[in-house]
Amino acid sequence: MQTVFTASRLYSPTEEIANPLVAVEDGRITKVSSRTDQEAPGGAQLVDFGDAVLAPGFLDIHIHGGAGLDVMRAAPSELPRLGKFLASHGVTGYFPTTVAAPLDTTCTALDRLADAIEDGDNGDSVQGRPLGVHLEGPFLSHKRRGVHPPENLLEPTIELFDRLWQAARGHVRMLTIAPEIPGAMEVIAEAARRNVCVSLGHSDAQLPAAQAAVSAGARHATHTFNAMRPLDHRDPGIIGQVLTDNRLSADIIVDGIHVAPAVVQLFLQAKGIERAVLITDAISATGMPEGRYQLGPILVDVKDGKCTFNGSLAGSVLTMDQAVRNVTQFAHWSLQNAVRAATLNPARTAGLAGHGTLTQGSEANFVVLSAQGEVRKTVVGGRGF
Ligand SMILES: [Zn+2]
C-alpha cells in the first residue's frame, strides 16, 4: 500500500520543495516530487499536512536519557518509553550515550543497548530508535572530565576498546576521546578503522595533539567549548583546531546554558551549514519535573532548566526541536539550515545511510513542523500520521 504525504514545503534538507509529494511504500520513500509539477497519484492514500513543513526526522548522536529513563540503566523493554518521548520532539533516531562507569557496569549496559539496537523497528508505535552506541568515555582527560567520575576514567588501550566493542557487539558508532592522553592515538586509529566516528572531547589538548588526532582518523568534536581547554588567542589548543579544520564536523549544545548565544553564533559561522551538528546531551530528567535524577553512575540536581552535580554542569534537559528553534533565534539561521544541523549533518558525521534526508530510498522518517519549528507530528517508517 502506497501512502503519499503532502504539505506546504519540504526541506530535503539541502533543497526546499514547494507543495511536496512524498510517496512511501514499506517504510521507505519511493519518490519525492511536487504538486506544482504533477498531480497526487490516484489509488494511493493521501495525507495532507496543510500549511506545515516536512523535514527529515531529527537525529541525536549524544543523549543519555529522557522521560525519567537513563540509557545505561533502562531495561530494553523500557526504552520504547524514551523512544516515544523523543518522537514527540521530532527525533526518529538516536545514539544512547554512556557515561564513564565501572567497566563491568558499562559492559552490562552495552549488552542491553545492543539488544535494543538489534530489535530495530518491530512494532507499530511511533518512536525514535536507538541506531548505535556513543561511548563518552572512559578515555577522557582528568582535567576536563566534567562530571564523569575520576575513578572510572581509563587510559586507552586497544584491548580495552575491544572489550567495549565486543560488549556492544560491534554497535559502537561514536567514541569521544581525549587525544592527548597516552595510548589515545592507537585507539583513535583502530576505532576509525572499524568505522567508528572518532570525536575529540573532554580534552585538554593543545593544537599539535589535536592535529595529530585528525591525522590518526578523528573526524568530529564533542560538545564544542564544554569540557575543552579554552580557546586563547595565543594558545588556540583543541578549539582552534576544531573551529578551523574543514575535515572535522563538530557538535554543540544549544540550550542557551552550556554556550552563550554569541559563541553559538561564532561556532555556527566557523563550522558552517555543512559541518555544524546539534546534540542535546539530554539526561533522564528531560521532560520531567525538577528534582534529582540519575545520569549513569551519578545523581544530578535539576533546577531552572539546569542540571548540576557538585556545581558542574551535568548534561541538559534540552530537546532537539528546541535546539533547532534556538539556532534560528541565536544565529538567525533559516529553519532549513537549522534543520540540516539536526538531520543530514549528524547522519553524515555518524555514517547513518538512509537517515537525515527526505529523498528517494531514504527511510520514511520525518517530522511535520510549523513555520516556527514546533513539532506537529512525527512519522517513523511511514507510520504516525
Ligand atoms: Zn554527554
Side-chain angles (χ1 to χ4, degrees), residues 117-139:
I117 292 162
E118 287 168 8
D119 267 355
D121 185 10
N122 59 358
D124 285 336
S125 73
V126 174
Q127 43 177 290
R129 281 179 277 151
L131 301 174
V133 169
H134 179 167
L135 292 177
E136 188 179 19
F139 310 134

Side-chain angles (χ1 to χ4, degrees), residues 136 141 143-148 200-204 222-230 238-239:
E136 188 179 19
S141 151
K143 193 161 178 200
R144 304 287 173 196
R145 66 184 173 82
V147 299
H148 293 259
L200 305 178
H202 283 277
S203 163
D204 198 45
T222 295
H223 45 52
T224 308
F225 295 105
N226 295 117
M228 275 183 184
R229 179 190 191 84
I238 179 172
I239 294 177

Side-chain angles (χ1 to χ4, degrees), residues 62 64 97 136 223 281:
H62 188 145
H64 300 283
T97 303
E136 188 179 19
H223 45 52
D281 202 2

